[in-house]
Amino acid sequence: MDFNTLSPISDRLVESIELSHFQSLGRKIILHTKQSTPSLDGVSIAIFGVLETRNSVDHIGQSFELSEVRKSFYSLFPGNWNTSIADLGDIKNGASVEDTYFAVTELIKTLLENKIIPVVIGGSQDLTYANYRAYDTVKPMINIVNVDKSFDLGDSSKPITNSSYIGKVILEKPYNLFNYTALGYQTYFNAQEEIDLMEKLYFEYYRLGDVNKNIKTAEPVLRDADLVTVDLKSVKSSEVSIKQKYSPNGFDGKEICAISRYAGISNRVSSFGIYEYNPSADDESSSMLISQMLWYFIEGFNCRVQDDNFESTKDFNKYTVLVEGQELVFFKSLKTGRWWIQTPFLSFSNTKNKKYSLLACMHEDYEQAIKGNIPERWYKACKKL
């Protein structure tokens, strides 16, 4: 792997690790330092920073670093994990934003090809576009979940920004997006035209209040995701430091950590990013929140269970419900108790084979089907087939 596009962590951080508790995360993570570049053999999760903010609508030439986030993260203690984690340092900003995008795409592509989950801590959220493009030659169709106050669709005819990158994802070739989900959107931050477009494209969107009411509704959504991107502006201002404050409404620390754990525990999620970090003099709250989000993502990863292979009947229960002339087939894993619903046949142009696709759902969806209600996730998924 080429480390020329990456800056190692600072000597000051290395020194602080040497003074830390011998069981802290800093002592157990494989580090890219000035003295050594890490081998990624056996590594499952690779963390790296991207300090790019030039395409942010709020960019005023400011720069930042991730030292406080790393200091907080390294000070935490790992759970009962058997996962090898590496910190690759930070991707150097290119001469242009496109150069940075290219470096991000190539690094994530390399990690994905080596079955390593990239975890990005970044500046502006338009970096999600570079993450998405890394899948071009890795996986034909992917699902993106955006934990955000807004949809970030924007005007795709204009240059990409952190509030319009999803428009580029949808309309620019190659077309690799199957489903896009906005988790925790707040209506007053979104134009009605964008809400109408989300509905027209059969994309999913969950209001903040609905997720606040039952955080478990986020789990099936994240179980079906390939790429999860988190905008820190989705966290309410009381939870973060001065410069990070944005809105009095949003997810609290407990909820955003639960969402991070759901992303980690998903067998499908293969990349995770936390964006829009704005450090300040009193940075402790924001840096510690990001650290705990990382901790919960890794904790979730260590709890992954292969429970979605329904070939052996001893591993699941199958339920069939007739609703409005539609035969809905549900599966419940006996390993974890998680639920799925079967979607119609998918045809593949390069093969005569057909197969059913499974969509993650909740027990409540089965209960609603018994009452004669078709699950909305199932309906939208079928419309896209």
Side-chain angles (χ1 to χ4, degrees):
M1 178 177 161
D2 184 9
F3 282 86
N4 290 328
T5 60
L6 290 157
S7 299
I9 67 169
S10 67
D11 290 339
R12 183 170 62 86
L13 274 172
V14 174
E15 291 169 1
S16 68
I17 290 171
E18 292 172 353
L19 298 173
S20 66
H21 193 284
F22 75 97
Q23 290 186 321
S24 64
L25 271 172
R27 295 291 194 98
K28 298 181 180 297
I29 295 176
I30 301 168
L31 301 174
H32 176 203
T33 67
K34 293 178 182 177
Q35 291 73 36
S36 66
T37 55
S39 167
L40 297 184
D41 292 341
V43 168
S44 298
I45 295 175
I47 301 167
F48 63 92
V50 188
L51 311 182
E52 181 64 76
T53 61
R54 284 175 285 182
N55 274 349
S56 169
V57 294
D58 299 317
H59 179 71
I60 53 174
Q62 74 276 26
S63 61
F64 71 99
E65 60 176 23
L66 296 171
S67 295
E68 292 304 315
V69 172
R70 286 191 165 96
K71 185 177 179 182
S72 297
F73 182 59
Y74 295 162
S75 71
L76 301 178
F77 292 96
N80 186 22
W81 300 343
N82 55 6
T83 300
S84 181
I85 307 163
D87 186 341
L88 306 183
D90 299 327
I91 285 186
K92 301 171 185 176
N93 279 1
S96 67
V97 179
E98 289 70 27
D99 292 335
T100 307
Y101 286 172
F102 179 80
V104 171
T105 298
E106 289 300 304
L107 176 56
I108 293 177
K109 177 185 172 183
T110 299
L111 294 172
L112 292 174
E113 289 174 341
N114 286 279
K115 310 299 182 186
I116 299 171
I117 294 181
V119 174
V120 187
I121 309 170
S124 50
Q125 202 180 11
D126 52 280
L127 293 163
T128 299
Y129 177 76
N131 189 345
Y132 164 72
R133 288 270 76 109
Y135 285 88
D136 287 350
T137 58
V138 176
K139 192 172 184 180
M141 298 296 285
I142 71 165
N143 296 336
I144 296 177
V145 172
N146 178 21
V147 183
D148 204 335
K149 61 178 178 53
S150 51
F151 300 140
D152 295 337
L153 295 172
D155 186 346
S156 60
S157 65
K158 295 180 180 178
I160 188 171
T161 70
N162 59 340
S163 61
S164 67
Y165 64 92
I166 291 296
K168 297 288 185 182
V169 167
I170 295 170
L171 293 177
E172 291 197 354
K173 296 181 180 180
Y175 305 125
N176 296 333
L177 181 68
F178 178 73
N179 189 42
Y180 169 66
T181 303
L183 192 62
Y185 88 99
Q186 299 173 49
T187 308
Y188 37 75
F189 288 132
N190 296 274
Q192 186 60 46
E193 290 80 3
E194 290 195 346
I195 298 174
D196 294 341
L197 181 59
M198 290 285 288
E199 192 65 28
K200 182 179 179 180
L201 295 173
Y202 299 108
F203 288 154
E204 296 180 77
Y205 48 99
Y206 295 81
R207 293 183 67 171
L208 174 66
D210 293 331
V211 184
N212 287 153
K213 193 181 301 180
N214 183 7
I215 192 67
K216 291 180 180 179
T217 58
E219 189 277 325
V221 175
L222 291 158
R223 203 188 325 157
D224 277 337
D226 297 281
L227 189 168
V228 177
T229 176
V230 181
D231 186 337
L232 286 175
K233 289 179 181 176
S234 65
V235 178
K236 61 182 177 182
S237 57
S238 60
E239 307 292 293
V240 291
S241 305
I242 290 175
K243 201 172 179 182
Q244 194 69 52
K245 293 181 185 297
Y246 184 80
S247 172
N249 290 307
F251 292 114
D252 63 27
K254 180 181 177 182
E255 291 165 338
I256 201 69
C257 285
I259 288 170
S260 300
R261 187 179 187 277
Y262 287 147
I265 209 170
S266 164
N267 292 323
R268 185 166 174 172
V269 169
S270 53
S271 59
F272 181 68
I274 302 171
Y275 298 101
E276 302 296 333
Y277 170 55
N278 297 308
S280 59
D282 69 331
D283 193 42
E284 291 85 355
S285 294
S286 297
S287 61
M288 184 53 76
L289 179 61
I290 294 172
S291 299
Q292 291 178 7
M293 290 169 67
L294 295 174
W295 191 97
Y296 274 101
F297 178 82
I298 300 169
E299 169 77 4
F301 178 83
N302 277 270
C303 294
R304 288 188 177 188
V305 177
Q306 293 298 322
D307 60 348
D308 50 1
N309 184 345
F310 298 109
E311 294 179 0
S312 175
T313 55
K314 65 179 175 58
D315 292 331
F316 66 90
N317 287 336
K318 181 179 178 180
Y319 306 86
T320 303
V321 184
L322 190 65
V323 184
E324 297 180 8
Q326 296 281 353
E327 189 177 83
L328 303 184
V329 180
F330 291 86
F331 293 90
K332 177 186 178 182
S333 168
L334 297 180
K335 292 181 180 178
T336 62
R338 296 196 291 192
W339 287 74
W340 284 262
I341 184 172
Q342 195 168 261
T343 56
F345 280 123
L346 288 174
S347 301
F348 298 95
S349 58
N350 61 346
T351 177
K352 294 181 180 179
N353 294 327
K354 292 182 177 181
K355 69 173 186 178
Y356 283 111
S357 178
L358 293 173
L359 185 71
C361 66
M362 300 177 68
H363 179 232
E364 287 82 349
D365 293 310
Y366 169 67
E367 292 178 329
Q368 286 298 313
I370 292 175
K371 295 177 182 178
N373 300 315
I374 292 178
E376 187 175 0
R377 292 201 77 217
W378 183 88
Y379 173 77
K380 287 187 174 181
C382 291
K383 284 292 184 180
K384 288 198 286 286
L385 297 178

